[in-house]
Amino acid sequence: MGAIVGGIILFVLGAISRFALEFDLPGVDSAMLGTILMVAGAVLFIVGLLLSLRSRKTVVNTQSAPGHTVSERRDPPPTV
């Protein structure tokens, strides 16, 4: 979830830098900096989405009682 929020924040900061701000620093172009931040934010957002949407692994719970063992296996639901 943090990568998604970080991507959105980078994208918004890049858009502000690209379209709303004009600053003059030697060696730094505000439009190019904004574009780089927007691209980095978009990539981070997509990576965050892919990580959150990937399938979960099988979960196995084992409970032991005196003389008894119970195991439960849950497979993830099939993806569409």
Side-chain angles (χ1 to χ4, degrees), residues 7-67:
I8 292 171
I9 290 172
L10 274 180
F11 191 85
V12 168
L13 289 176
I16 291 170
S17 175
R18 172 86 167 113
F19 300 114
L21 292 179
E22 288 185 27
F23 54 88
D24 192 21
L25 292 173
V28 177
D29 182 22
S30 65
M32 182 58 69
L33 178 65
T35 304
I36 291 171
L37 286 175
M38 288 171 57
V39 169
V43 169
L44 188 60
F45 180 79
I46 291 171
V47 167
L49 278 179
L50 290 176
L51 288 176
S52 69
L53 294 178
R54 69 179 179 181
S55 64
R56 304 282 192 253
K57 297 184 188 261
T58 301
V59 176
V60 176
N61 294 330
T62 304
Q63 300 172 349
S64 296

